[in-house]
Structures are given as structure tokens and as C-alpha cells.
Amino acid sequence: AKRSFAPNSMQDEEAFEVEEIVGKRGKGKRVEYEIKWLGYAETTWEPSAMLDQPLHTYKLAPGVAI
């Protein structure tokens, strides 16, 4: 399932769609997820608070555990 991402500063402008979560780093409250955006080759590291859906609803790359 594809979900969108809209940081507070961008809610009125543009929403980015998550293609899949391809990585995870950090521990505890400092965990970040590497996001592959639909239509973009680049990935970015984002805290889970920036995602608008529960983590288990996103497509995960093989080997990625949440």
C-alpha cells in the first residue's frame, strides 16, 4: 500500500508518496527510516513522526524490519 508524506510546512503545497521503506537506523526515540519516494531515485532518512500512517502499513524492502 502506498501512503503519502506531508511535513507540516508543506501540507498546503505538495504531498510526497512513499514507495517503500528501504532501511532503518538508530535506537529508541531516535529511529529513522530510509524512504524511497514514488517517482524519485533518491532516498531520504526520516523520523517515523513524519509519516502519516502506521509503519506496518508501508511496503518494506526485503530484509527491513520495523
Side-chain angles (χ1 to χ4, degrees):
K2 293 183 174 88
R3 304 286 185 223
S4 63
F5 163 83
N8 289 337
S9 63
M10 297 178 64
Q11 285 179 347
D12 295 330
E13 297 176 16
E14 181 179 7
F16 294 91
E17 198 168 335
V18 173
E19 186 171 327
E20 71 179 337
I21 296 175
V22 297
K24 178 182 174 181
R25 69 180 180 191
K27 292 182 180 178
K29 293 183 179 186
R30 304 198 95 169
V31 173
E32 293 182 317
Y33 296 93
E34 186 177 12
I35 307 297
K36 168 68 175 84
W37 302 103
L38 186 63
Y40 295 89
E42 301 84 17
T43 62
T44 61
W45 289 95
E46 306 291 344
S48 60
M50 297 300 287
L51 301 169
D52 67 352
Q53 298 290 325
L55 284 170
H56 72 275
T57 64
Y58 292 96
K59 178 181 176 187
L60 302 177
V64 176
I66 54 172

